[in-house]
Amino acid sequence: MPTQHYMECALSLARLAMGYTTPNPAVGAVVVKDGLAVGMGYTQPVGSEHAEVMALRQAGDKAQGATMYVTLEPCCHYGRTPPCTQAIIDAAISEVHIALLDPNPAVSGRGVKRLSEVGVKTHVGMCRQEAQEINEAYIKHITTGLPFVVAKFAMSLDGKIATKTGDSKWITKEETRKYAHALRHTADAIMVGVNTVVADNPRLTAKGCGGRGGIEKRQPLRLVVDSNGKVPLNAHIFEPPGEVLLAVAAPFDSVKKEKLTEVGAEVVELPTRGGSVDIVELLRLLGKRDIVTVLVEGGAKLLGSLFDHHSVDKVLAFISPIIIGGREAVSVGGDGIDTMTQALRLSRVDIKNFGDDILVSGYVEKRLPQEA
């Protein structure tokens, strides 16, 4: 059987861990002996075993002289758990195929070096792109301290995300909405602007956010950017399950703050930029709190601000074959650009169909400072 098959199996295991391991990466590992997979594993929630240890535990004595396929470089330092390199060495694995080197400065090549020092053959690069996409949020967070920001929105063929009255239910059909909702399971936080809460009164929860293989996943943090504290005290977001964080402009009214705290919100006062919460400072705060993936679900002003500040990493645009029209109908807001040469462009674009609806996804190309 081709060796790439085993790495693809490890990648499938890593995908099972997505959304469950923050702030650690989601990793999959397979141990192969005499052409048979004798051990499989994926990263457990933070503080528990890593993928390599899970796979070695399943393989038992069969790990001796076997080959391991792992989607990310094994760690070689003591963190919340002992180093995986030592577990591999102790199990007498003879060869390790690694899809991607870990950009974490505490690892970054040291895992490969440690294995090589004791005679374990190492190979790096098989299925590198797929491994990178699985941990794209982890990679950004560990190298910049900032969360990976995904902008998700639905729009009509004429680029409207709501009518002139603010109505946006529903632009896309149910099949599309179910897929879009499932994306919440991979996010650490779901971010919206206060106008979205006022207009739609969403709960911002991930349905069925329970166990996978006996593992419970916490609800994503519900994050509302609410500069002036306009969110209604009876809004659905204050209902269980899940925590709520309100980002407000400093200085903030102490009476309002007390009332919001009483209904279950954590209120964080942040500096302003242009009269609204400084979105860059908010993202820095989230990064310090180990919020690795932020899924932004609206509205127009918040999306526009994030695009204006070049803070969006990935775009998920759901397009419905409808025409909304109206000069005052809502599109993505913000200051925008002056010339087409300044337009943000997506790379690695992918297109999926959900009935008549279309999902266009891609990564925002990062400009050099002189190009911005």
Side-chain angles (χ1 to χ4, degrees):
M1 187 176 290
T3 57
Q4 186 167 322
H5 167 82
Y6 299 117
M7 186 61 81
E8 289 170 351
C9 179
L11 290 165
S12 296
L13 289 166
R15 292 186 185 98
L16 291 176
M18 291 176 69
Y20 289 76
T21 64
T22 296
N24 291 339
V27 181
V30 177
V31 177
V32 178
K33 182 76 170 285
D34 298 328
L36 295 174
V38 295
M40 298 183 184
Y42 54 85
T43 312
Q44 302 300 292
V46 64
S48 299
E49 287 82 359
H50 291 188
E52 299 93 323
V53 172
M54 296 296 291
L56 290 170
R57 182 179 296 169
Q58 189 178 84
D61 293 341
K62 295 177 182 177
Q64 187 171 350
T67 299
M68 175 178 282
Y69 295 82
V70 61
T71 58
L72 191 69
E73 181 180 10
C75 63
C76 54
H77 64 292
Y78 281 89
R80 296 181 180 91
T81 58
C84 291
T85 49
Q86 193 58 50
I88 291 169
I89 294 166
D90 292 344
I93 290 284
S94 64
E95 190 172 344
V96 180
H97 290 263
I98 300 163
L100 183 70
L101 292 179
D102 191 339
N104 184 346
V107 185
S108 196
R110 292 183 176 89
V112 169
K113 182 181 178 183
R114 173 64 183 139
L115 293 173
S116 299
E117 284 174 347
V118 297
V120 179
K121 295 179 182 178
T122 58
H123 312 270
V124 179
M126 184 187 297
C127 301
R128 184 197 309 267
Q129 184 64 42
E130 295 92 328
Q132 186 166 330
E133 288 180 5
I134 288 171
N135 279 308
E136 58 196 9
Y138 163 77
I139 292 169
K140 181 184 179 184
H141 183 255
I142 203 69
T143 55
T144 68
L146 296 171
F148 187 84
V149 178
V150 181
K152 175 175 78 72
F153 53 91
M155 66 181 186
S156 61
L157 280 179
D158 54 340
K160 308 297 185 182
I161 64 175
T163 69
K164 61 185 178 182
T165 64
D167 180 34
S168 62
K169 291 185 176 180
W170 297 101
I171 291 177
T172 55
K173 292 185 177 179
E174 185 176 0
E175 179 187 358
T176 310
R177 296 199 301 272
K178 285 182 177 178
Y179 175 85
H181 193 98
L183 294 169
R184 291 180 177 178
H185 286 269
T186 62
D188 300 316
I190 300 176
M191 181 192 290
V192 296
V194 67
N195 291 336
T196 296
V197 176
V198 172
D200 299 338
N201 197 17
R203 285 180 168 80
L204 301 182
T205 54
K207 293 177 183 176
C209 198
R212 172 177 289 170
I215 302 169
E216 290 293 319
K217 182 189 185 300
R218 291 178 60 190
Q219 283 283 341
L221 175 69
R222 294 175 286 184
L223 170 58
V224 182
V225 182
D226 184 11
S227 298
N228 301 312
K230 294 195 305 181
V231 62
L233 295 175
N234 61 350
H236 286 323
I237 58 164
F238 298 123
E239 299 170 5
E243 299 175 359
V244 181
L245 178 67
L246 296 181
V248 301
F252 189 66
D253 184 279
S254 60
V255 175
K256 277 187 182 180
K257 186 172 185 177
E258 184 177 352
K259 288 180 179 179
L260 290 166
T261 303
E262 287 175 356
V263 295
E266 179 188 356
V267 181
V268 175
E269 299 183 43
L270 292 167
T272 60
R273 183 184 296 192
S276 300
V277 166
D278 188 329
I279 206 71
V280 176
E281 284 301 316
L282 174 56
L283 293 175
R284 287 184 183 136
L285 171 69
L286 296 175
K288 289 175 182 176
R289 293 190 174 199
D290 281 340
I291 299 294
V292 175
T293 308
V294 176
L295 182 63
V296 185
E297 296 195 354
K301 182 179 178 181
L302 177 60
L303 287 167
S305 177
L306 287 162
F307 282 120
D308 285 345
H309 289 97
H310 300 272
S311 296
V312 176
D313 297 290
K314 188 175 185 177
V315 172
L316 301 171
F318 295 87
I319 305 171
S320 178
I322 60 173
I323 305 295
I324 291 178
R327 192 174 302 153
E328 296 176 6
V330 182
S331 301
V332 172
D335 294 331
I337 58 171
D338 295 321
T339 65
M340 289 303 296
T341 57
Q342 297 172 301
L344 298 177
R345 181 172 291 276
L346 301 186
S347 60
R348 289 183 279 156
V349 173
D350 184 54
I351 298 175
K352 288 186 175 70
N353 290 84
F354 297 90
D356 293 334
D357 296 331
I358 297 170
L359 167 61
V360 177
S361 62
Y363 298 85
V364 180
E365 292 183 351
K366 300 300 179 183
R367 298 175 182 271
L368 297 173
Q370 62 267 27
E371 297 176 321

